[in-house]
Amino acid sequence: MAEQQSGPDLDAAFFIRWLIACAAAVERDAAHLTDLDAAIGDADHGSNLQRGFRAVAEVLTKEVPATPGAVLTLAGRQLISTVGGASGPLYGTLLRRTGKALGDAAGTDRAGLADALGAGVAAVAQLGGAKAGDKTMLDALEPAVEALSTGYAEAARAASEGAEATTPLQARKGRASYLGERSVGHQDPGATSAALLVTTLAETAEAGA
Ligand code: ADP
Ligand code: MG
């Protein structure tokens, strides 16, 4: 039913629940993400995100920011400072820019989040210089943001389909691009983790407060 409206209200506690659930999902799928990165990268995507999201979960047990914007900004900062790989600055920028777009409002709704995430994804594209079809996390994030204006489940499905659609592509950005044609035939690790984060968002929204 929440799918029909833009609500319910998404407050700071909602974003904390989402990020803690992301940390658990990353722990669960770390080996798979690292396996994907072993095929077309340097086999560290799972451990990179594990380090980053453990730090995010830990800081959120010590600090409880009052607004969605402050939660996302804090989490983004943690990812940037703890993850060595390309994904740290990129996901960190996604969360920080999304947080900045949310400003200091006490809450938002699905439409507001879709707008803010749109700004976050645009910042990722600007930082990494990638565009749709380059076989990166953007191939999951861009369709997810678009579908989020329809619903959470739609966003999760769009992200997963976007990640799966990276398999036949040749990487044009990041480490996998060094492989040229040999990157074809493997699902992109970052698009896969992006789909995991969006799926976790949908699960958190469905679970309610
Ligand atoms: P590293 O490549 O430094 O080892 P990770 O393995 O943690 O970092 O992350 C790799 C993922 O980061 C890739 O699968 C891809 O989705 C994403 N990525 C790499 N470079 C870019 C870029 N320029 N723009 C967007 N995403 C990128
Ligand atoms: Mg890597």
Side-chain angles (χ1 to χ4, degrees):
M1 15 162 224
E3 292 294 312
Q4 303 309 315
Q5 309 140 4
S6 194
D9 198 49
L10 308 174
D11 57 9
F14 170 85
F15 287 94
I16 292 173
R17 285 199 301 280
W18 172 46
L19 291 166
I20 302 276
C22 287
V26 164
E27 293 289 346
R28 191 192 63 217
D29 287 8
H32 177 232
L33 295 172
T34 286
D35 283 350
L36 293 174
D37 197 34
I40 58 169
D42 56 353
D44 65 357
H45 190 55
S47 49
N48 280 342
L49 291 190
Q50 235 172 348
R51 190 173 334 107
F53 277 94
R54 277 179 190 169
V56 168
E58 201 194 317
V59 78
L60 289 173
T61 65
K62 293 184 198 139
E63 276 181 58
V64 183
T67 63
V71 171
L72 295 177
T73 310
L74 176 65
R77 237 188 291 133
Q78 285 298 105
L79 291 181
I80 290 169
S81 63
T82 58
V83 180
S87 60
L90 292 164
Y91 276 133
T93 295
L94 175 70
L95 296 186
R96 276 179 44 167
R97 187 66 189 81
T98 300
K100 192 175 165 203
L102 289 172
D104 54 13
T108 186
D109 58 10
R110 180 163 50 74
L113 178 58
D115 277 353
L117 268 177
V121 171
V124 171
Q126 195 182 18
L127 175 66
K131 53 185 182 351
D134 285 349
K135 197 179 180 104
T136 72
M137 58 175 69
L138 286 173
D139 290 329
L141 292 174
E142 286 187 353
V145 165
E146 209 186 308
L148 188 58
S149 46
T150 309
Y152 292 107
E154 286 80 356
R157 195 172 322 122
S160 298
E161 287 172 2
E164 282 162 25
T166 62
T167 302
L169 300 177
Q170 178 172 332
R172 283 195 288 255
K173 286 286 167 192
R175 220 175 262 284
S177 66
Y178 308 158
L179 290 180
E181 285 178 9
R182 282 183 292 136
S183 64
V184 172
H186 303 276
Q187 188 166 316
D188 180 61
T192 308
S193 60
L196 182 66
L197 303 184
V198 177
T199 299
T200 305
L201 175 71
E203 289 168 357
T204 307
E206 272 160 30

